[in-house]
Amino acid sequence: MQRIGVFVCHCGSNIAATVDVKRVVECARLEPGVVFAEDYQYMCSEAGQMKIADAIKREGLTGVVVCSCSPRMHEATFRKCAEGAGLNPYMLEIANIREQCSWIHKDMETATEKAVVLMRAAVAKVNLNVPLKSGESRVTKRALVIGGGIAGIQTALDIAEAGYEVDIVEKTPSIGGRMAQLDKTFPTLDCSACILTPKMVEAAAHEKIRIFTYSEVEKVTGFVGDFTVDIRKKARSVDIDKCTGCGVCQEKCPSKTAKSEFNRGLSKRSAIYTPFAQAVPNVPVIDREHCIKFKTGKCGVCSKVCPAGAIDYEMRDEIITEKYGAIVAATGFDMISLDKYDEYAYKKSPDVITSLELERIMNAAGPTGGHLERLSDGKPPKNIVFIQCVGSRCADKRGKSYCSKICCMYTAKHAMLIRDKYPDTNVTVFYIDVRTPGKNFDEFYRRAVEEYHVNYIKGQVGKVLPQPDGTLLVQGADIIDGRQVLINADMVVLAAAIEPDPTARKLATMLTASIDTNGFLTEAHPKLRPVESPTAGIFLSGVCQGPKDIPETVSQAGAAAVKVIGLLSKDKLLTNPCTAKADELMCNGCSACANVCPYGAISYEDREVRGIGVREVRRVAVVNGALCQGCGACTVACPSGAMDLFGFSNRQITAEVDAICR
Amino acid sequence: MQELKKRLCELLSDGTVARVLGWRRGETSFDPEPAFFGSAEELSDFVYDGFCGANLSKMMIEAARLEGKTAVCLKPCDTYSYNQLIKEHRVDREKTYIIGVGCRGKLDIDKIRALGIKGILSISGTECDGDGDTLLIKTVYGDKSCKYADAMLSRCHVCRGKEHKIYDEIIGESRDTTDGDRFSEVEKLEAMAPRERFEFFRRELSRCIRCNACRNVCPACSCRKCVFDSNNFDSAQKANVDPFEEKMFHIIRAFHVAGRCTDCGECSRVCPENIPLHLFNRKFIKDINTFYGEYTAGEDAEAKCPLTDFDFGDAEPGDVTSGR
């Protein structure tokens, strides 16, 4: 029989205001196995932990139940405390009476009743707990960063600077990401390329950094400290070692019909191309869909003109397998599709553009050479309307419920730049709210209004109607004046919402990292562990975790790097002892568990099985404890109940359910 | 049947197989039983006719442990079960010689009795190679007759087709006896209000005597030790003293065979209380088809079951609950 101690936390008033903690203590004393129970204001404080440690020693406890917050919050804290007092840490369980009880109930009577039931379930489980011991696993001292935008580059540089090897995998032909597409950056208005390209070069030149561009992560297996990753290097058709980046191939390429991805489709590019002049690596790729040689078999101009003989039409996708100790997701964002926003006439008029398209138009290397002009007739626009929150803070299902965070600032930037360069242009901004928290941000917005006289109208636009004379009739509402506003605009710029890059979802599945309802990768704790995924060894950098601007992205990138460095600096990690094991006597060898195992931890062996009246060679499941992450999928799939999980055994779980249903 | 018997004798005498798994004549003309035959002499009792409904696939688990090869007679629908057992590594294909036997629908003595034919002495017209559509029944009350199709097992009215999915050789011809919609019964259940549906199953299952016939005959219920017999789980012991136990047994059994059940219909065939147990399984099959695309367990020995496989196109849990 166990000797169990129950400790009920008030969590200040978080729990005690809704749950009668004294009654939970009294009820605990009546539970089988419980020899001691008490409550305290803050169990997680030093004094609270001392109470637990003292009771373990004084009462000779063999098991502990702490009724407090979620185990994700403080299970580790309390287990460490128990271990310090000489108890096996896995003999301690948490009953979550805060998040799952006091926070969601208002009535003290029912909340207390539920808290008692949760306590009972935990006590029933501890009665069946057995001491568990962690194993050790080694750490591969190299990190993988997925995504080569500013987030990925900064994370990689910081890790490399600490002396660890790091690889960047980028799916496009060059690193740089969205930031490379930007013209100027708020709130200082320095040129984006001037601050980004040196970092790109630094990353490329760093002896600890390898960059795989035009590559994608294909498969991820393993676990924290020991991931094995398959990387598909897509066929570039250009030998990266031979190419000198002279650019003759791009000049001479006769196929110039493909839309430039870098210029958001506003200009054409050759079939053999580098996305932009400062691309790293400065080695082109052949877009096989548009290349005449690949389509018809005839052409080969690039190969003829290449002085280095770098063109290789036979090149194939190559899959390389690498080992990593940590993985950082830095997959970034894209703008939402505007298919569902017909009212803004984005598809109908070339003069209705997105903010990112305006970024390219304003850029000296962009489709118009940096001249602000209408894409329909090349004339300079005299009246420009900016529409904010297109798909952001959206109440209906067309858009996103969240604020995209960066649009207020970049719209102020665009408005200011246009008024500065073209003072005879009228600029109007329709907004729901202007949100400018951040160092020097509000001052920046006020400059746009006060110094540059940008016309800010609080209200939304209902419709944009292209007129026969080529102008755009903007029908909006001014909700401060309570009137309808009609503006004849020459150009309309839509601040479209940002969303996680579409690859993030697939990647999350490969990494078994969780994502939220909006497709952003979830952090382990929204306040205390913002750059770690709940999956050990997976870290988050940049917009893949949530909307943020460049300064925030760079700080988060650094924070993710620190977490990676902390992990890689360890020689060994303790493994989770809560792994699965098959009972050979009951195993059917049916493979149901192996089929559902997401970690490939289960294999089959022909083993001699001995039991009462049994001695034969059978095909039985064998779990690799180092690969098993204790998810329990196998225990549920096993029809005979042969598969069981240490720390969460079938008996323990049914005992908990029984206690709840008692 | 003579051709089949002759071939089985050959296989035994030329040493191709060590034994034959087939059916032995019973006490009456309508209760043949599965049996192993070790020699040509023993085969004198061999029978194969319309009453040989038993699916022999599951017995091949036992045969896999025996020395030498076993010849097994499988009807088209039985081959699905055999394939599924290969997939689950429970049978040894190398040690099996599959004779795909012809089938034109199997008979149900209860169906005949339900027609008011009592005191049955013998039945003729049950041959598998015959094509007569009438059964002649000698009874203590004189000669009676009925249509072959009217005496067929319910499952044969939603036949899995005349094709053997796996075999070494085929003897005899098969016929697709489908004349009903496989999921019409399930649709009726789906149309019921939850309370009404619960009441339906509660009423049907209240007849269960826990004889375990359904479990013992089911080719998917092939666990070495059933969770309900295991003393490793406190829940199993508790279930035994709970009045809801029979229901729980059948519900859990349905979950355990979901995605693996080939709809062979043996559970309903052997149930002494005539509980339509196949309805549980068929509901699962229909749901799997709806949410993951058409999937037929046992159609081949390789395809992965959607319930133990994952791909990016899979229905999300939310889709499943809201899609019903």
Side-chain angles (χ1 to χ4, degrees), chain A residues 509 587-591 595 616 618-619 639-641 651 658, chain B residues 65 88-90 223-224 227 232-234 238 256 308 310 312:
Chain A
T509 311
C587 176
N588 297 327
C590 74
S591 290
N595 286 340
E616 62 178 350
R618 287 181 184 173
R619 179 178 192 273
S640 62
R651 282 190 71 199
D658 280 352
Chain B
R65 283 199 279 269
E88 292 169 12
H89 308 276
R90 303 310 310 279
C223 285
R224 294 183 196 281
V227 282
N232 284 16
F233 308 101
D234 308 333
K238 234 178 49 201
H256 280 196
T308 51
F310 171 79
F312 290 102

PDB file of all heavy atoms in Angstrom, chain A residues 509 587-591 595 616 618-619 639-641 651 658, chain B residues 65 88-90 223-224 227 232-234 238 256 308 310 312:
ATOM      1  N   THR A 509       3.334  18.790 -39.056  1.00  0.00           N
ATOM      2  CA  THR A 509       3.020  17.369 -38.960  1.00  0.00           C
ATOM      3  C   THR A 509       4.301  16.550 -38.923  1.00  0.00           C
ATOM      4  O   THR A 509       4.438  15.622 -38.134  1.00  0.00           O
ATOM      5  CB  THR A 509       2.148  16.942 -40.143  1.00  0.00           C
ATOM      6  OG1 THR A 509       1.078  17.865 -40.258  1.00  0.00           O
ATOM      7  CG2 THR A 509       1.593  15.554 -39.955  1.00  0.00           C
ATOM      8  N   CYS A 587       0.902 -10.231 -26.923  1.00  0.00           N
ATOM      9  CA  CYS A 587       1.037  -9.599 -28.238  1.00  0.00           C
ATOM     10  C   CYS A 587       0.635 -10.567 -29.352  1.00  0.00           C
ATOM     11  O   CYS A 587       1.063 -11.723 -29.379  1.00  0.00           O
ATOM     12  CB  CYS A 587       2.479  -9.151 -28.434  1.00  0.00           C
ATOM     13  SG  CYS A 587       2.795  -8.462 -30.053  1.00  0.00           S
ATOM     14  N   ASN A 588      -0.215 -10.068 -30.264  1.00  0.00           N
ATOM     15  CA  ASN A 588      -0.635 -10.877 -31.417  1.00  0.00           C
ATOM     16  C   ASN A 588       0.347 -10.771 -32.579  1.00  0.00           C
ATOM     17  O   ASN A 588       0.232 -11.502 -33.545  1.00  0.00           O
ATOM     18  CB  ASN A 588      -1.978 -10.381 -31.952  1.00  0.00           C
ATOM     19  CG  ASN A 588      -3.082 -10.529 -30.941  1.00  0.00           C
ATOM     20  OD1 ASN A 588      -3.070 -11.452 -30.152  1.00  0.00           O
ATOM     21  ND2 ASN A 588      -4.025  -9.613 -30.972  1.00  0.00           N
ATOM     22  N   GLY A 589       1.223  -9.769 -32.520  1.00  0.00           N
ATOM     23  CA  GLY A 589       2.119  -9.530 -33.652  1.00  0.00           C
ATOM     24  C   GLY A 589       1.409  -8.975 -34.860  1.00  0.00           C
ATOM     25  O   GLY A 589       1.849  -9.144 -35.989  1.00  0.00           O
ATOM     26  N   CYS A 590       0.290  -8.267 -34.639  1.00  0.00           N
ATOM     27  CA  CYS A 590      -0.563  -7.881 -35.762  1.00  0.00           C
ATOM     28  C   CYS A 590      -0.114  -6.605 -36.460  1.00  0.00           C
ATOM     29  O   CYS A 590      -0.651  -6.243 -37.493  1.00  0.00           O
ATOM     30  CB  CYS A 590      -2.009  -7.732 -35.302  1.00  0.00           C
ATOM     31  SG  CYS A 590      -2.311  -6.239 -34.325  1.00  0.00           S
ATOM     32  N   SER A 591       0.837  -5.877 -35.889  1.00  0.00           N
ATOM     33  CA  SER A 591       1.380  -4.645 -36.486  1.00  0.00           C
ATOM     34  C   SER A 591       0.496  -3.423 -36.332  1.00  0.00           C
ATOM     35  O   SER A 591       0.833  -2.361 -36.856  1.00  0.00           O
ATOM     36  CB  SER A 591       1.699  -4.812 -37.975  1.00  0.00           C
ATOM     37  OG  SER A 591       2.790  -5.644 -38.144  1.00  0.00           O
ATOM     38  N   ASN A 595       1.880   0.368 -37.139  1.00  0.00           N
ATOM     39  CA  ASN A 595       1.239   1.203 -38.160  1.00  0.00           C
ATOM     40  C   ASN A 595       0.911   2.595 -37.655  1.00  0.00           C
ATOM     41  O   ASN A 595       0.950   3.549 -38.418  1.00  0.00           O
ATOM     42  CB  ASN A 595      -0.062   0.541 -38.651  1.00  0.00           C
ATOM     43  CG  ASN A 595       0.213  -0.639 -39.547  1.00  0.00           C
ATOM     44  OD1 ASN A 595       1.303  -0.766 -40.101  1.00  0.00           O
ATOM     45  ND2 ASN A 595      -0.773  -1.507 -39.698  1.00  0.00           N
ATOM     46  N   GLU A 616       6.954 -20.934 -27.175  1.00  0.00           N
ATOM     47  CA  GLU A 616       7.056 -20.994 -28.627  1.00  0.00           C
ATOM     48  C   GLU A 616       7.659 -19.708 -29.157  1.00  0.00           C
ATOM     49  O   GLU A 616       7.719 -18.694 -28.466  1.00  0.00           O
ATOM     50  CB  GLU A 616       5.682 -21.253 -29.252  1.00  0.00           C
ATOM     51  CG  GLU A 616       4.660 -20.178 -28.979  1.00  0.00           C
ATOM     52  CD  GLU A 616       3.320 -20.464 -29.659  1.00  0.00           C
ATOM     53  OE1 GLU A 616       3.250 -21.383 -30.479  1.00  0.00           O
ATOM     54  OE2 GLU A 616       2.361 -19.750 -29.359  1.00  0.00           O
ATOM     55  N   ARG A 618       7.366 -16.558 -31.330  1.00  0.00           N
ATOM     56  CA  ARG A 618       6.275 -15.745 -31.849  1.00  0.00           C
ATOM     57  C   ARG A 618       6.817 -14.429 -32.391  1.00  0.00           C
ATOM     58  O   ARG A 618       7.836 -13.936 -31.945  1.00  0.00           O
ATOM     59  CB  ARG A 618       5.294 -15.394 -30.724  1.00  0.00           C
ATOM     60  CG  ARG A 618       4.441 -16.529 -30.252  1.00  0.00           C
ATOM     61  CD  ARG A 618       3.536 -15.997 -29.164  1.00  0.00           C
ATOM     62  NE  ARG A 618       2.733 -17.060 -28.592  1.00  0.00           N
ATOM     63  CZ  ARG A 618       1.964 -16.887 -27.531  1.00  0.00           C
ATOM     64  NH1 ARG A 618       1.896 -15.698 -26.954  1.00  0.00           N
ATOM     65  NH2 ARG A 618       1.248 -17.879 -27.055  1.00  0.00           N
ATOM     66  N   ARG A 619       6.020 -13.865 -33.284  1.00  0.00           N
ATOM     67  CA  ARG A 619       6.331 -12.532 -33.792  1.00  0.00           C
ATOM     68  C   ARG A 619       5.747 -11.535 -32.788  1.00  0.00           C
ATOM     69  O   ARG A 619       4.542 -11.473 -32.589  1.00  0.00           O
ATOM     70  CB  ARG A 619       5.648 -12.378 -35.150  1.00  0.00           C
ATOM     71  CG  ARG A 619       5.849 -11.047 -35.804  1.00  0.00           C
ATOM     72  CD  ARG A 619       5.148 -11.058 -37.160  1.00  0.00           C
ATOM     73  NE  ARG A 619       5.552  -9.910 -37.942  1.00  0.00           N
ATOM     74  CZ  ARG A 619       4.966  -8.726 -37.881  1.00  0.00           C
ATOM     75  NH1 ARG A 619       3.954  -8.532 -37.098  1.00  0.00           N
ATOM     76  NH2 ARG A 619       5.401  -7.739 -38.628  1.00  0.00           N
ATOM     77  N   PRO A 639      -5.412  -4.208 -29.975  1.00  0.00           N
ATOM     78  CA  PRO A 639      -6.702  -4.774 -29.606  1.00  0.00           C
ATOM     79  C   PRO A 639      -6.650  -5.664 -28.372  1.00  0.00           C
ATOM     80  O   PRO A 639      -7.635  -5.779 -27.648  1.00  0.00           O
ATOM     81  CB  PRO A 639      -7.112  -5.576 -30.849  1.00  0.00           C
ATOM     82  CG  PRO A 639      -5.865  -5.810 -31.620  1.00  0.00           C
ATOM     83  CD  PRO A 639      -4.891  -4.738 -31.240  1.00  0.00           C
ATOM     84  N   SER A 640      -5.495  -6.272 -28.120  1.00  0.00           N
ATOM     85  CA  SER A 640      -5.473  -7.209 -26.995  1.00  0.00           C
ATOM     86  C   SER A 640      -4.989  -6.558 -25.706  1.00  0.00           C
ATOM     87  O   SER A 640      -4.951  -7.201 -24.665  1.00  0.00           O
ATOM     88  CB  SER A 640      -4.574  -8.400 -27.333  1.00  0.00           C
ATOM     89  OG  SER A 640      -3.258  -7.947 -27.553  1.00  0.00           O
ATOM     90  N   GLY A 641      -4.601  -5.274 -25.777  1.00  0.00           N
ATOM     91  CA  GLY A 641      -4.121  -4.601 -24.575  1.00  0.00           C
ATOM     92  C   GLY A 641      -2.730  -5.055 -24.176  1.00  0.00           C
ATOM     93  O   GLY A 641      -2.336  -4.934 -23.028  1.00  0.00           O
ATOM     94  N   ARG A 651      -4.096   0.262 -16.601  1.00  0.00           N
ATOM     95  CA  ARG A 651      -4.692   0.103 -15.273  1.00  0.00           C
ATOM     96  C   ARG A 651      -4.806   1.431 -14.551  1.00  0.00           C
ATOM     97  O   ARG A 651      -5.801   1.710 -13.900  1.00  0.00           O
ATOM     98  CB  ARG A 651      -3.844  -0.855 -14.413  1.00  0.00           C
ATOM     99  CG  ARG A 651      -4.067  -2.309 -14.749  1.00  0.00           C
ATOM    100  CD  ARG A 651      -3.394  -3.186 -13.725  1.00  0.00           C
ATOM    101  NE  ARG A 651      -4.082  -3.148 -12.439  1.00  0.00           N
ATOM    102  CZ  ARG A 651      -3.535  -3.515 -11.285  1.00  0.00           C
ATOM    103  NH1 ARG A 651      -2.289  -3.927 -11.254  1.00  0.00           N
ATOM    104  NH2 ARG A 651      -4.221  -3.479 -10.176  1.00  0.00           N
ATOM    105  N   ASP A 658     -12.436   5.190 -13.032  1.00  0.00           N
ATOM    106  CA  ASP A 658     -13.278   4.602 -11.984  1.00  0.00           C
ATOM    107  C   ASP A 658     -13.485   5.570 -10.829  1.00  0.00           C
ATOM    108  O   ASP A 658     -14.583   5.723 -10.321  1.00  0.00           O
ATOM    109  CB  ASP A 658     -12.638   3.314 -11.446  1.00  0.00           C
ATOM    110  CG  ASP A 658     -12.908   2.143 -12.361  1.00  0.00           C
ATOM    111  OD1 ASP A 658     -13.705   2.318 -13.297  1.00  0.00           O
ATOM    112  OD2 ASP A 658     -12.314   1.072 -12.152  1.00  0.00           O
TER     113      ASP A 658
ATOM    114  N   ARG B  65       0.586 -23.131 -37.019  1.00  0.00           N
ATOM    115  CA  ARG B  65       1.484 -23.681 -36.004  1.00  0.00           C
ATOM    116  C   ARG B  65       1.772 -25.166 -36.227  1.00  0.00           C
ATOM    117  O   ARG B  65       2.623 -25.735 -35.577  1.00  0.00           O
ATOM    118  CB  ARG B  65       0.882 -23.480 -34.610  1.00  0.00           C
ATOM    119  CG  ARG B  65       1.037 -22.062 -34.106  1.00  0.00           C
ATOM    120  CD  ARG B  65       0.857 -22.007 -32.611  1.00  0.00           C
ATOM    121  NE  ARG B  65      -0.548 -21.990 -32.246  1.00  0.00           N
ATOM    122  CZ  ARG B  65      -1.264 -20.882 -32.073  1.00  0.00           C
ATOM    123  NH1 ARG B  65      -0.695 -19.716 -32.232  1.00  0.00           N
ATOM    124  NH2 ARG B  65      -2.523 -20.930 -31.731  1.00  0.00           N
ATOM    125  N   GLU B  88      -2.267  -9.085 -40.874  1.00  0.00           N
ATOM    126  CA  GLU B  88      -2.005  -8.999 -39.433  1.00  0.00           C
ATOM    127  C   GLU B  88      -0.996 -10.057 -38.972  1.00  0.00           C
ATOM    128  O   GLU B  88      -0.840 -10.290 -37.782  1.00  0.00           O
ATOM    129  CB  GLU B  88      -3.332  -9.114 -38.669  1.00  0.00           C
ATOM    130  CG  GLU B  88      -4.212  -7.902 -38.917  1.00  0.00           C
ATOM    131  CD  GLU B  88      -5.634  -8.074 -38.411  1.00  0.00           C
ATOM    132  OE1 GLU B  88      -5.900  -9.035 -37.664  1.00  0.00           O
ATOM    133  OE2 GLU B  88      -6.487  -7.247 -38.782  1.00  0.00           O
ATOM    134  N   HIS B  89      -0.363 -10.706 -39.930  1.00  0.00           N
ATOM    135  CA  HIS B  89       0.694 -11.687 -39.633  1.00  0.00           C
ATOM    136  C   HIS B  89       0.202 -12.839 -38.780  1.00  0.00           C
ATOM    137  O   HIS B  89       0.946 -13.389 -37.977  1.00  0.00           O
ATOM    138  CB  HIS B  89       1.886 -11.002 -38.946  1.00  0.00           C
ATOM    139  CG  HIS B  89       2.383  -9.809 -39.695  1.00  0.00           C
ATOM    140  ND1 HIS B  89       3.264  -9.911 -40.739  1.00  0.00           N
ATOM    141  CD2 HIS B  89       2.082  -8.495 -39.587  1.00  0.00           C
ATOM    142  CE1 HIS B  89       3.495  -8.721 -41.229  1.00  0.00           C
ATOM    143  NE2 HIS B  89       2.782  -7.832 -40.552  1.00  0.00           N
ATOM    144  N   ARG B  90      -1.053 -13.204 -38.897  1.00  0.00           N
ATOM    145  CA  ARG B  90      -1.583 -14.274 -38.076  1.00  0.00           C
ATOM    146  C   ARG B  90      -1.586 -15.627 -38.780  1.00  0.00           C
ATOM    147  O   ARG B  90      -1.704 -16.660 -38.163  1.00  0.00           O
ATOM    148  CB  ARG B  90      -3.005 -13.956 -37.603  1.00  0.00           C
ATOM    149  CG  ARG B  90      -3.169 -12.669 -36.825  1.00  0.00           C
ATOM    150  CD  ARG B  90      -2.161 -12.510 -35.684  1.00  0.00           C
ATOM    151  NE  ARG B  90      -2.073 -13.659 -34.802  1.00  0.00           N
ATOM    152  CZ  ARG B  90      -2.913 -13.911 -33.823  1.00  0.00           C
ATOM    153  NH1 ARG B  90      -3.891 -13.107 -33.574  1.00  0.00           N
ATOM    154  NH2 ARG B  90      -2.761 -14.960 -33.074  1.00  0.00           N
ATOM    155  N   CYS B 223      -7.220 -12.247 -31.122  1.00  0.00           N
ATOM    156  CA  CYS B 223      -6.244 -12.025 -30.049  1.00  0.00           C
ATOM    157  C   CYS B 223      -5.924 -13.340 -29.330  1.00  0.00           C
ATOM    158  O   CYS B 223      -6.798 -14.169 -29.120  1.00  0.00           O
ATOM    159  CB  CYS B 223      -6.781 -11.035 -29.027  1.00  0.00           C
ATOM    160  SG  CYS B 223      -6.746  -9.340 -29.605  1.00  0.00           S
ATOM    161  N   ARG B 224      -4.655 -13.459 -28.953  1.00  0.00           N
ATOM    162  CA  ARG B 224      -4.265 -14.641 -28.184  1.00  0.00           C
ATOM    163  C   ARG B 224      -5.070 -14.681 -26.895  1.00  0.00           C
ATOM    164  O   ARG B 224      -5.473 -15.731 -26.435  1.00  0.00           O
ATOM    165  CB  ARG B 224      -2.786 -14.565 -27.826  1.00  0.00           C
ATOM    166  CG  ARG B 224      -1.899 -14.654 -29.027  1.00  0.00           C
ATOM    167  CD  ARG B 224      -0.437 -14.652 -28.623  1.00  0.00           C
ATOM    168  NE  ARG B 224       0.374 -14.367 -29.789  1.00  0.00           N
ATOM    169  CZ  ARG B 224       0.673 -15.256 -30.720  1.00  0.00           C
ATOM    170  NH1 ARG B 224       0.221 -16.498 -30.603  1.00  0.00           N
ATOM    171  NH2 ARG B 224       1.396 -14.939 -31.763  1.00  0.00           N
ATOM    172  N   VAL B 227      -9.172  -9.107 -24.239  1.00  0.00           N
ATOM    173  CA  VAL B 227      -9.118  -8.207 -23.076  1.00  0.00           C
ATOM    174  C   VAL B 227     -10.202  -8.561 -22.059  1.00  0.00           C
ATOM    175  O   VAL B 227     -10.028  -8.334 -20.862  1.00  0.00           O
ATOM    176  CB  VAL B 227      -9.282  -6.721 -23.462  1.00  0.00           C
ATOM    177  CG1 VAL B 227      -7.997  -6.163 -24.019  1.00  0.00           C
ATOM    178  CG2 VAL B 227     -10.411  -6.500 -24.425  1.00  0.00           C
ATOM    179  N   ASN B 232      -5.340  -8.804 -16.467  1.00  0.00           N
ATOM    180  CA  ASN B 232      -4.459  -7.646 -16.364  1.00  0.00           C
ATOM    181  C   ASN B 232      -5.234  -6.342 -16.210  1.00  0.00           C
ATOM    182  O   ASN B 232      -4.665  -5.314 -15.949  1.00  0.00           O
ATOM    183  CB  ASN B 232      -3.584  -7.529 -17.611  1.00  0.00           C
ATOM    184  CG  ASN B 232      -2.477  -8.532 -17.591  1.00  0.00           C
ATOM    185  OD1 ASN B 232      -2.527  -9.481 -16.830  1.00  0.00           O
ATOM    186  ND2 ASN B 232      -1.467  -8.323 -18.410  1.00  0.00           N
ATOM    187  N   PHE B 233      -6.503  -6.410 -16.501  1.00  0.00           N
ATOM    188  CA  PHE B 233      -7.284  -5.185 -16.459  1.00  0.00           C
ATOM    189  C   PHE B 233      -8.383  -5.291 -15.420  1.00  0.00           C
ATOM    190  O   PHE B 233      -9.229  -6.168 -15.483  1.00  0.00           O
ATOM    191  CB  PHE B 233      -7.920  -4.904 -17.827  1.00  0.00           C
ATOM    192  CG  PHE B 233      -6.910  -4.937 -18.924  1.00  0.00           C
ATOM    193  CD1 PHE B 233      -6.786  -6.044 -19.741  1.00  0.00           C
ATOM    194  CD2 PHE B 233      -6.056  -3.873 -19.102  1.00  0.00           C
ATOM    195  CE1 PHE B 233      -5.829  -6.077 -20.722  1.00  0.00           C
ATOM    196  CE2 PHE B 233      -5.098  -3.895 -20.084  1.00  0.00           C
ATOM    197  CZ  PHE B 233      -4.976  -5.007 -20.905  1.00  0.00           C
ATOM    198  N   ASP B 234      -8.360  -4.365 -14.474  1.00  0.00           N
ATOM    199  CA  ASP B 234      -9.394  -4.376 -13.445  1.00  0.00           C
ATOM    200  C   ASP B 234     -10.757  -4.181 -14.088  1.00  0.00           C
ATOM    201  O   ASP B 234     -11.766  -4.675 -13.611  1.00  0.00           O
ATOM    202  CB  ASP B 234      -9.139  -3.248 -12.444  1.00  0.00           C
ATOM    203  CG  ASP B 234      -7.720  -3.315 -11.918  1.00  0.00           C
ATOM    204  OD1 ASP B 234      -7.173  -4.434 -11.904  1.00  0.00           O
ATOM    205  OD2 ASP B 234      -7.163  -2.284 -11.526  1.00  0.00           O
ATOM    206  N   LYS B 238     -14.561  -5.875 -13.484  1.00  0.00           N
ATOM    207  CA  LYS B 238     -15.703  -5.069 -13.093  1.00  0.00           C
ATOM    208  C   LYS B 238     -16.852  -5.226 -14.075  1.00  0.00           C
ATOM    209  O   LYS B 238     -18.017  -5.247 -13.688  1.00  0.00           O
ATOM    210  CB  LYS B 238     -15.295  -3.608 -12.994  1.00  0.00           C
ATOM    211  CG  LYS B 238     -15.659  -3.075 -11.637  1.00  0.00           C
ATOM    212  CD  LYS B 238     -15.260  -1.676 -11.441  1.00  0.00           C
ATOM    213  CE  LYS B 238     -15.722  -0.870 -12.607  1.00  0.00           C
ATOM    214  NZ  LYS B 238     -15.093   0.320 -12.851  1.00  0.00           N
ATOM    215  N   HIS B 256     -12.824  -2.752 -31.646  1.00  0.00           N
ATOM    216  CA  HIS B 256     -11.587  -3.500 -31.867  1.00  0.00           C
ATOM    217  C   HIS B 256     -11.482  -4.033 -33.291  1.00  0.00           C
ATOM    218  O   HIS B 256     -10.392  -4.170 -33.817  1.00  0.00           O
ATOM    219  CB  HIS B 256     -11.477  -4.654 -30.861  1.00  0.00           C
ATOM    220  CG  HIS B 256     -10.994  -4.205 -29.515  1.00  0.00           C
ATOM    221  ND1 HIS B 256     -10.519  -5.064 -28.565  1.00  0.00           N
ATOM    222  CD2 HIS B 256     -10.903  -2.975 -28.976  1.00  0.00           C
ATOM    223  CE1 HIS B 256     -10.170  -4.379 -27.486  1.00  0.00           C
ATOM    224  NE2 HIS B 256     -10.399  -3.117 -27.720  1.00  0.00           N
ATOM    225  N   THR B 308      -5.439   2.960 -39.315  1.00  0.00           N
ATOM    226  CA  THR B 308      -4.095   2.816 -38.757  1.00  0.00           C
ATOM    227  C   THR B 308      -3.072   3.394 -39.724  1.00  0.00           C
ATOM    228  O   THR B 308      -1.935   2.955 -39.791  1.00  0.00           O
ATOM    229  CB  THR B 308      -3.744   1.348 -38.458  1.00  0.00           C
ATOM    230  OG1 THR B 308      -4.024   0.579 -39.624  1.00  0.00           O
ATOM    231  CG2 THR B 308      -4.533   0.815 -37.300  1.00  0.00           C
ATOM    232  N   PHE B 310      -1.950   7.285 -41.843  1.00  0.00           N
ATOM    233  CA  PHE B 310      -2.189   8.730 -41.836  1.00  0.00           C
ATOM    234  C   PHE B 310      -1.761   9.333 -43.148  1.00  0.00           C
ATOM    235  O   PHE B 310      -0.724   8.983 -43.678  1.00  0.00           O
ATOM    236  CB  PHE B 310      -1.382   9.379 -40.711  1.00  0.00           C
ATOM    237  CG  PHE B 310      -1.405  10.878 -40.774  1.00  0.00           C
ATOM    238  CD1 PHE B 310      -2.502  11.569 -40.302  1.00  0.00           C
ATOM    239  CD2 PHE B 310      -0.372  11.585 -41.348  1.00  0.00           C
ATOM    240  CE1 PHE B 310      -2.551  12.940 -40.381  1.00  0.00           C
ATOM    241  CE2 PHE B 310      -0.414  12.960 -41.429  1.00  0.00           C
ATOM    242  CZ  PHE B 310      -1.508  13.634 -40.942  1.00  0.00           C
ATOM    243  N   PHE B 312      -2.098  13.387 -45.364  1.00  0.00           N
ATOM    244  CA  PHE B 312      -2.479  14.783 -45.156  1.00  0.00           C
ATOM    245  C   PHE B 312      -3.910  15.081 -45.582  1.00  0.00           C
ATOM    246  O   PHE B 312      -4.482  16.077 -45.190  1.00  0.00           O
ATOM    247  CB  PHE B 312      -1.491  15.708 -45.872  1.00  0.00           C
ATOM    248  CG  PHE B 312      -0.147  15.726 -45.212  1.00  0.00           C
ATOM    249  CD1 PHE B 312       0.914  15.004 -45.737  1.00  0.00           C
ATOM    250  CD2 PHE B 312       0.036  16.417 -44.031  1.00  0.00           C
ATOM    251  CE1 PHE B 312       2.147  14.997 -45.111  1.00  0.00           C
ATOM    252  CE2 PHE B 312       1.253  16.414 -43.398  1.00  0.00           C
ATOM    253  CZ  PHE B 312       2.318  15.711 -43.931  1.00  0.00           C
TER     254      PHE B 312
END
